[in-house]
Amino acid sequence: MGIIVNVSAIFFGGIIGALSGGAMSERFKEGLNMAFGICSMTMGIYAIAPMKNLAAVIIGTGLGLLFRLGVLINRGAENMQRLISRLLPSNKTGNGSLDKITYDANLVTVIVLFCASGTGIYGSLIEGMSGDPSILISKAILDFFTALIFAANLGYVVSLIAVPLLIILTALFLAAHVIFPLTTPDMILDFKAGGGVLMLASGFRIIQVKMFPTADMIPIMIVIMPISWLWTNVILPLL
């Protein structure tokens, strides 16, 4: 349910934004962005609080940065942007105030924001493991208004990002069914804490206090549970 709600929020937010973008003031858009940032940071702090192994979160964060996945994600987004622009060329979308270079750069940004979101990855895996859609539903509220704001400048093309997002989140949801039987309660709490780190970093980016490399930090979600298990069962007994 969380995936359907999240994808639908982006699809309809994009349509509404494209239709009514000209009526939104810059002050209104900026105010919403500040609210998004605080919400993301609050969700991150809530997820981090119950962590069991701080070292696992730190090591997972370090390895995530080491892999520099952000470069690959940006390349994938650029390829996706070219495909989407063929379906809806920039000169037929948006409010016409952006030149092509700015338009393409903004479109890549919003593709990365939606399709490579740490919160989306975290929320899909959590729903697949526990059936809890609350993370994705909360994210859907933020994404609806984010899509609305981006679509005010980019047009209906923002709505099409819902298609690859649906594929990505569904794949993660299905993968979670395989992962969950191999986990322990402490591993799940540390996994949530890793997701909280990403949400907290995303909040700082949204309010433009610190531009954390959130795309590079996504591998945290891959390595955090194995590191948590290793720390609990191998390293701690030796200390």
Side-chain angles (χ1 to χ4, degrees), residues 1-6 43 119-120 122-141 173:
M1 182 175 68
I3 293 173
I4 294 172
V5 171
N6 193 190
M43 292 166 62
T119 310
Y122 166 55
S124 299
L125 290 171
I126 287 296
E127 184 172 7
M129 290 177 180
S130 64
D132 178 14
S134 60
I135 295 293
L136 286 178
I137 291 176
S138 298
K139 178 178 178 292
I141 298 172
F173 176 84

Side-chain angles (χ1 to χ4, degrees), residues 54-108:
L54 177 61
V57 176
I58 294 173
I59 295 170
T61 303
L63 289 175
L65 290 169
L66 183 64
F67 290 141
R68 295 185 59 81
L69 183 64
V71 175
L72 296 176
I73 289 175
N74 281 318
R75 288 177 184 170
E78 288 168 1
N79 292 331
M80 193 182 301
Q81 177 268 330
R82 284 192 285 270
L83 176 61
I84 291 176
S85 293
R86 289 176 185 172
L87 298 175
L88 288 175
S90 58
N91 61 355
K92 294 183 180 179
T93 57
N95 59 18
S97 63
L98 302 180
D99 59 81
K100 188 177 188 306
I101 294 176
T102 304
Y103 177 92
D104 290 346
N106 285 350
L107 184 53
V108 169

Side-chain angles (χ1 to χ4, degrees), residues 116 131 184 195 226:
T184 65

